[in-house]
Amino acid sequence: MQKTKQRLLTGNKAIAEAIRLEMERDPNVLVMGEDVGIYGGIFGATEGLFQQFGPERVMDTPISETAFIGAAIGAAAEGMRPIVELMFVDFFGVCMDQIYNHMAKIPYMSGGRVKLPMVLMTAVGGGYSDAAQHSQTLYATFAHLPGMKVVAPSTPYDLKGMMISAIRDDNPVVFMFHKTLQGLGWMDQLDASVGHVPEEAYTVPIGKAKVVREGTDITIVGIQMTTHHALEAAKKLEQHGIQAEVIDLRSLVPLDRETILQSIKKTHRLLVVDEDYLSYGMTAEIAAIAAEDGLYDLEAPVKRLAVPDVPIPYSRPLEQFVLPNADKIFHEAMKLVNE
Amino acid sequence: MVISVDHLTWMYETMYKIRYYEDKMAEAYAEGKNPVFNIGAGPVPGEMHLATGQEPAAVGICVHLKKEDTVTSPHRPHHHAIAKGVDLNRMTAEIFGKVTGLGKGKGGHMHLFDPDVKFSCGGIVGAGIPHALGAALAAKKKGTDWVAVAFIGEGAANQGAFHESLNMAALWNLPLIVVIENNQYGISVPKSASTSVPSNDIRAVAYGMKGYYVKDNDPIEMYDVSKEAVERARKGEGPSIIEIETYRYLGHFQGDPELYRDKNEVTLLREKDPIIRMRQFLITEYGIEEQRLIELENKAKQEVESAYQFARESDDPNPEDALNDLFV
Ligand SMILES: Cc1ncc(C[n+]2csc(CCOP(=O)(O)OP(=O)(O)O)c2C)c(N)n1
Ligand SMILES: [Mg+2]
């Protein structure tokens, strides 16, 4: 058997490579944010870019999110293609007006005459005791507000391909990367944070979910980290004779209803797992899709697993209690298939 | 200005206590993170921002404060908390994520709340300034002479909340003092690359308030200008900004590779350490016996040691407690 040699990259390097390729291709692409320069981004998403493109195209900003995200909007309207980094998604609070009242609405309010080809890149996720103001994912908060595409890739391959799609998209795209899937040396080391990434530029379409494991007994839908937890749970379920199908949502807006509905047609059971808060969130949205268009395919009620509507606590036992993990998914799935 | 020996010795002892506390925290934080650093491992996980080198800012103003005065602090809060008199046992237990902590383990190092001494801090840059503004408003409405102090880094002075709050403080003539610790960096970005003016005290003119500048991390100078700012605030003479030139000896957070600065920078700074300078100053200028200083140092160490012991011996919270305290 012949084995082709695969180039492996961490998540952060995959993102940085995507940005580098697009910056080489298009002089209108520029990067702004806190510590995106010499530091290379706190989570490494702009690693090496400052060294190659210099301070004119990779700009460290003051801690003035309203101003620099607003400036990205203004520059995008002028035909630039800015990538702005909001260091942690949790910090959206200081600048959300620019994001949802302006970035998300200007194209619509202008009747499509103003284009904002920008990317708002931001780090999400917890699990390492960074507490309530630095551990959220807030997927649904962004997905809820019309006018921005929202992506949340979970593998180095998708991080690169979706970043290139995001940069080339003429619409504002919120690009969320999960801290622990960046493959950084100072966080938990996960196999999933390293993966095959081709050298050349390629795109992964925005708006398509991916079946990452085929199965017949239950559909488990995950987003970023919970996809990987679901895959781990699926292995254990297999030992109990249960074949789980796992879907990586990848794109929150637009949401790929079809892939979910196709899957439950086959498995008749649905478990949705989210690292975001439970209520009013992505799990509810997907459950609603199943109820609206897949109800007669279901043989059991939809189950949801997510953060039980409290802020993320600091102390390890508290945080582990509220976050979903492979074990919790396994137990929920076992209950569901036995219903 | 002649300073009372009580004030001087309190400042010295408190600076010493802060330094000792932070040094011990650096050690505790490193536990479980060797040989491979993992931010989530060990008895103290998560981000850790230490204030080693920044002691003068905290003690120089807190010496003028009373229990009823409010202090808000940012993500680098230990020196402020200690100088404001936060319960050291419960603060340390909180940082160790224990049920005996100030927030029963829910808050952690960036989110310490001690309403008994009116101290709070938070992880969002600039967010504490409006809270102090509100405390100053309440002090005025209640007819007290209480003041509110917001500590921030120089990086936070470019956040909208700073400018909005200062305008309101001056407009409503509130007893607010914003202390800006210019430790030269916001993470990796030097002040020169983030701030359009050489120092933030000159921005005071734009709001119609008083601005002070303290050079070279000097606790005595900090004492002097803070005394004036606090007295003015108590008398209803309005808000002020104090910027102090200070130094961050360690990385932005523990584990910061610090590739953005010369390794030699900190070695040079440590040579003019404010604690050593203050010790010398007390002996030569005020004739305080060295023995007296050693006693203070030992007392400070002991207090810190027992706080760490308390923290380590305390219990973890029950996992299900995560669901409590959302609403009171
Ligand atoms: C609104 C917001 N933006 C960004 C951050 C990330 N962040 C945390 S500390 C920091 C630098 C703060 O610099 P400074 O105010 O000078 O305080 P220092 O860390 O130097 O004490 C940044 C950018 C944050 N916590 N909140
Ligand atoms: Mg600073």
Side-chain angles (χ1 to χ4, degrees):
Chain A
M1 200 170 73
Q2 205 188 339
K3 223 176 165 189
T4 44
K5 212 163 152 213
Q6 294 203 324
R7 192 178 70 126
L8 298 177
L9 283 190
T10 55
N12 83 298
K13 287 188 164 51
I15 297 173
E17 182 166 276
I19 299 174
R20 171 173 68 75
L21 290 167
E22 290 308 287
M23 288 182 80
E24 285 170 353
R25 197 178 79 102
D26 182 349
N28 286 314
V29 177
L30 68 95
V31 179
M32 283 194 284
E34 292 153 19
D35 305 279
V36 298
I38 294 179
Y39 202 106
I42 295 298
F43 299 101
T46 58
E47 193 181 292
L49 298 179
F50 180 85
Q51 287 75 2
Q52 181 174 347
F53 299 101
E56 292 298 322
R57 292 184 72 193
V58 184
M59 302 174 72
D60 273 333
T61 61
I63 310 169
S64 308
E65 288 86 355
T66 290
F68 72 75
I69 293 172
I73 295 171
E78 292 292 325
M80 307 286 298
R81 302 185 91 84
I83 301 161
V84 274
E85 181 170 270
L86 177 63
M87 192 186 290
F88 288 67
V89 74
D90 313 67
F91 308 159
F92 83 104
V94 301
C95 53
M96 196 58 169
D97 180 62
Q98 291 298 331
I99 297 169
Y100 93 102
N101 259 330
H102 300 90
M103 183 182 88
K105 293 178 185 167
I106 286 173
Y108 181 79
M109 295 190 296
S110 69
R113 295 179 64 215
V114 178
K115 288 195 182 101
L116 297 179
M118 61 184 283
V119 180
L120 176 67
M121 166 165 82
T122 189
V124 308
Y128 61 101
S129 292
D130 221 2
Q133 298 175 337
H134 288 75
S135 300
Q136 300 169 99
T137 56
L138 301 179
Y139 298 127
T141 304
F142 286 81
H144 179 66
L145 300 162
M148 41 194 172
K149 297 185 179 178
V150 183
V151 300
S154 72
T155 63
Y157 183 91
D158 284 351
L159 283 163
K160 177 171 171 182
M162 292 182 92
M163 176 53 88
I164 292 181
S165 294
I167 296 169
R168 293 183 188 176
D169 202 301
D170 277 341
N171 298 286
V173 179
V174 177
F175 185 98
M176 296 173 148
F177 61 81
H178 196 287
K179 293 162 210 168
T180 314
L181 295 174
Q182 291 290 82
L184 302 167
W186 46 276
M187 302 196 88
D188 271 346
Q189 302 298 306
L190 304 182
D191 290 345
S193 66
V194 183
H196 170 54
V197 177
E199 273 176 58
E200 70 278 7
Y202 61 89
T203 57
V204 170
I206 294 174
K208 284 262 168 290
K210 187 176 181 191
V211 177
V212 288
R213 187 186 198 280
E214 295 202 22
T216 47
D217 303 329
I218 178 173
T219 297
I220 309 178
V221 176
I223 305 170
Q224 291 189 317
M225 191 55 88
T226 62
T227 302
H228 296 293
H229 291 325
L231 284 169
E232 204 183 317
K235 278 190 214 151
K236 206 164 152 201
L237 288 164
E238 187 166 31
Q239 291 162 14
H240 290 72
I242 296 157
Q243 295 301 332
E245 176 143 308
V246 178
I247 295 176
D248 181 4
L249 214 50
R250 299 200 295 190
S251 173
L252 312 184
V253 179
L255 185 60
D256 181 359
R257 302 165 69 98
E258 219 29 58
T259 297
I260 299 163
L261 291 168
Q262 282 305 325
S263 180
I264 56 177
K265 233 178 218 131
K266 183 165 69 164
T267 65
H268 313 296
R269 282 177 163 77
L270 176 62
L271 169 63
V272 193
V273 194
D274 190 0
E275 196 185 322
D276 199 359
Y277 306 119
L278 177 69
S279 299
Y280 317 104
M282 290 305 303
T283 57
E285 186 60 32
I286 291 162
I289 289 170
E292 282 170 351
D293 292 327
L295 189 61
Y296 303 115
D297 295 320
L298 290 173
E299 283 172 15
V302 177
K303 283 280 175 225
R304 304 189 282 152
L305 191 55
V307 176
D309 298 335
V310 290
I312 311 291
Y314 162 69
S315 185
R316 192 177 290 124
L318 301 177
E319 186 184 27
Q320 292 308 317
F321 181 79
V322 305
L323 291 182
N325 61 29
D327 260 355
K328 294 179 193 175
I329 297 170
F330 171 78
H331 288 296
E332 279 304 320
M334 285 299 278
K335 272 196 280 178
L336 189 51
V337 288
N338 290 321
E339 247 178 62
Chain B
M1 192 185 297
V2 179
I3 306 178
S4 80
V5 170
D6 277 356
H7 275 179
L8 285 171
T9 50
W10 182 87
M11 279 166 60
Y12 178 72
E13 181 189 339
T14 308
M15 287 209 292
Y16 192 92
K17 194 194 296 178
I18 293 166
R19 178 67 58 87
Y20 193 71
Y21 190 89
E22 297 293 63
D23 285 348
K24 257 191 107 66
M25 188 56 76
E27 281 171 30
Y29 185 73
E31 279 173 41
K33 297 186 180 72
N34 262 313
V36 184
F37 183 90
N38 178 344
I39 187 171
V44 183
E47 282 174 66
M48 177 54 66
H49 314 82
L50 298 178
T52 316
Q54 299 184 204
E55 301 85 357
V59 302
I61 188 161
C62 287
V63 67
H64 303 295
L65 300 184
K66 46 189 183 185
K67 203 169 156 185
E68 293 79 10
D69 298 324
T70 292
V71 164
T72 70
S73 166
H75 56 285
R76 196 180 303 288
H78 303 168
H79 55 325
H80 308 137
I82 292 172
K84 185 62 176 56
V86 168
D87 184 312
L88 207 58
N89 284 3
R90 297 190 65 195
M91 165 175 156
T92 313
E94 184 62 27
I95 298 169
F96 277 75
K98 298 301 180 73
V99 70
T100 53
L102 291 167
K104 304 173 200 163
K106 293 196 167 78
H109 133 87
M110 279 191 277
H111 317 98
L112 304 167
F113 298 86
D114 191 351
D116 292 344
V117 295
K118 298 202 191 170
F119 175 87
S120 65
C121 63
I124 305 296
V125 168
I129 312 167
H131 306 160
L133 178 77
L137 177 69
K140 189 172 176 180
K141 295 269 181 225
K142 289 179 173 182
T144 67
D145 70 346
W146 304 342
V147 304
V149 175
F151 285 102
I152 61 168
E154 89 294 339
N158 300 313
Q159 190 59 265
F162 174 83
H163 301 278
E164 296 180 20
S165 301
L166 291 189
N167 176 57
M168 283 174 70
L171 182 71
W172 292 348
N173 195 38
L174 299 179
L176 174 72
I177 299 148
V178 176
V179 176
I180 303 169
E181 284 171 70
N182 171 20
N183 64 3
Q184 321 301 324
Y185 296 92
I187 309 187
S188 70
V189 180
K191 183 179 182 184
S192 58
S194 74
T195 309
S196 61
V197 288
S199 66
N200 282 292
D201 58 304
I202 65 177
R203 285 173 160 174
V205 178
Y207 308 109
M209 62 171 67
K210 190 107 184 170
Y212 302 92
Y213 185 71
V214 176
K215 281 199 310 293
D216 204 21
N217 217 13
D218 184 352
I220 304 298
E221 180 89 15
M222 183 67 192
Y223 178 96
D224 288 346
V225 306
S226 300
K227 185 165 193 286
E228 186 181 313
V230 171
E231 278 172 6
R232 287 185 43 255
R234 288 208 199 286
K235 284 192 286 195
E237 292 172 13
S240 351
I241 298 175
I242 301 172
E243 174 156 310
I244 173 168
E245 181 185 20
T246 186
Y247 307 108
R248 195 191 78 200
Y249 287 0
L250 305 172
H252 170 71
F253 33 45
Q254 295 303 96
D256 178 355
E258 293 187 75
L259 300 176
Y260 49 85
R261 71 167 164 180
D262 189 340
K263 287 280 171 277
N264 218 10
E265 190 178 303
V266 175
T267 315
L268 295 173
L269 291 173
R270 282 193 189 262
E271 280 169 16
K272 52 172 187 172
D273 188 87
I275 300 181
I276 298 169
R277 266 158 52 199
M278 177 106 178
R279 195 178 199 275
Q280 215 43 48
F281 176 81
L282 293 185
I283 293 169
T284 55
E285 303 292 315
Y286 278 77
I288 296 174
E289 302 258 316
E290 184 165 26
Q291 189 50 38
R292 170 97 184 95
L293 296 178
I294 293 172
E295 278 163 29
L296 292 175
E297 289 163 4
N298 286 338
K299 186 168 143 244
K301 278 192 208 168
Q302 215 158 31
E303 211 182 310
V304 171
E305 290 291 346
S306 69
Y308 276 82
Q309 192 181 349
F310 174 83
R312 286 183 191 273
E313 287 171 359
S314 292
D315 291 330
D316 281 337
N318 290 321
E320 310 78 49
D321 289 347
L323 303 179
N324 304 334
D325 297 318
L326 187 63
F327 298 111
V328 293

